């Protein structure tokens, strides 16, 4: 059974959120092509994750067999979020661009799942690359919306795009190869003109294509009866 972790990070209400429209479209398309798929839904936009603090850091960097009860309790949210990632084959993120970067809700989620001993190991014996991912083999689809346009590589605002690089930089914590991330983006939202309408249509078509392709690739093989 294929498991998909759907993460929505928009602060908008559901009927006003373009990214939730894309994640919903991805889910319905995938389920139509692969009815056995299981979706886990984590809406950090509607239900923000508690930010990490000094106590969280103290607990996370204390060896598990030395943790006091309050430390175990402080890491419960982190453990639950990481367990969802471990269970997933695909992560689908609905991520609007806020002030050229990721929403605080998604940053809070990332900070909770980037955790020593669970999603990465740290060893200075590895020299200048002490961090090594623990998870691997997962896929990531980023479904985004942007008020302006031209944030793609080579675009007029590429140097202002702090969203895509931030997600790619942290992808190894999710078990994702950063070179394989699929990104679909709606642009021109602030202009609300024909370019925006065309961008929505293009993004919806791309979302369907990615969902159908992933569903085909991850569908269980069909058993063939012996003659």
């Amino acid at each position: 059974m294929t498991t998909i972790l759907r993460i929505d990070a928009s602060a908008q209400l559901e009927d006003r959120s373009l990214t939730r429209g894309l994640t919903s479209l991805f889910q319905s398309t995938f389920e139509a092509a692969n009815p056995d798929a299981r979706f886990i839904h984590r809406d950090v936009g509607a239900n923000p994750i508690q930010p990490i603090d000094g106590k969280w850091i103290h607990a996370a960097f204390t060896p598990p067999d030395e943790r006091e009860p309050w430390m175990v309790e402080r890491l419960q949210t982190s453990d639950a979020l990481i367990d969802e990632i471990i269970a997933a084959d695909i992560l689908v993120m609905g991520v609007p661009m806020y002030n050229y970067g990721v929403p605080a809700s998604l940053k809070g989620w990332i900070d909770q799942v980037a955790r020593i001993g669970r999603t990465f190991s740290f060893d200075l014996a590895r020299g200048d690359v002490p961090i090594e991912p623990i998870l691997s083999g997962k896929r990531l689809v980023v479904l985004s919306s942007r008020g302006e346009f031209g944030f793609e590589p080579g675009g007029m605002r590429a140097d202002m795009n702090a969203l895509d690089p931030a997600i790619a930089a942290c992808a190894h914590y999710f078990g994702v190869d950063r070179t394989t991330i699929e990104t679909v983006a709606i642009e021109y939202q602030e202009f609300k003109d024909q370019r925006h309408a065309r961008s929505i249509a293009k993004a919806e078509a791309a979302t369907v294509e990615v969902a159908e392709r992933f569903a085909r690739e991850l569908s269980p093989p069909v058993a063939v009866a012996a003659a």
Side-chain angles (χ1 to χ4, degrees):
M1 178 189 298
T2 300
T3 299
I4 300 94
L5 173 57
R6 170 182 166 181
I7 301 167
D8 284 305
S10 174
Q12 285 277 26
L13 298 175
E14 187 167 353
D15 60 346
R16 292 175 55 86
S17 171
L18 292 173
T19 56
R20 280 195 181 83
L22 293 181
T23 54
S24 294
L25 178 60
F26 183 98
Q27 180 169 347
S28 62
T29 302
F30 198 101
E31 289 175 329
N34 188 339
D36 294 328
R38 179 172 74 105
F39 274 80
I40 302 169
H41 190 193
R42 176 67 67 169
D43 194 330
V44 299
N47 301 288
I49 303 297
Q50 182 179 5
I52 65 171
D53 57 13
K55 289 185 177 180
W56 187 97
I57 294 170
H58 184 187
F61 281 87
T62 298
D65 58 354
E66 298 177 16
R67 285 179 189 147
E68 299 175 28
W70 72 265
M71 296 178 177
V72 175
E73 181 179 358
R74 191 68 181 83
L75 295 174
Q76 284 181 347
T77 296
S78 173
D79 285 329
L81 298 177
I82 293 170
D83 287 344
E84 290 175 351
I85 295 175
I86 292 172
D89 302 292
I90 303 170
L91 285 75
V92 179
M93 295 181 176
V95 189
M97 177 181 281
Y98 288 167
N99 300 313
Y100 306 104
V102 299
S105 58
L106 184 65
K107 183 59 168 63
W109 178 86
I110 292 172
D111 288 344
Q112 289 275 359
V113 302
R115 202 172 115 201
I116 191 167
R118 293 224 57 192
T119 57
F120 73 91
S121 62
F122 185 90
D123 187 350
L124 288 174
R126 290 194 282 259
D128 289 342
V129 190
I131 292 177
E132 185 172 283
I134 292 175
L135 308 180
S136 64
K138 301 181 186 297
R139 303 186 184 193
L140 173 59
V141 182
V142 178
L143 304 175
S144 187
S145 62
R146 291 96 193 268
E148 296 171 289
F149 62 94
F151 295 100
E152 71 282 356
M156 64 182 290
R157 294 183 175 88
D159 64 329
M160 300 169 68
N161 182 354
L163 186 151
D164 294 323
I167 294 175
C170 296
H172 57 285
Y173 296 131
F174 324 142
V176 173
D177 179 346
R178 63 184 297 173
T179 66
T180 66
I181 299 173
E182 302 263 359
T183 301
V184 176
I186 295 172
E187 297 190 312
Y188 302 97
Q189 185 175 2
E190 292 175 355
F191 298 88
K192 294 181 171 56
D193 54 14
Q194 287 301 311
R195 295 173 300 176
H196 180 49
R198 289 193 296 269
S199 185
I200 291 175
K202 182 178 178 181
E204 289 176 343
T207 298
V208 169
E209 188 279 324
V210 174
E212 290 180 339
R213 172 159 46 87
F214 278 20
R216 287 193 305 270
E217 293 174 358
L218 295 176
S219 292
V222 178
V224 178

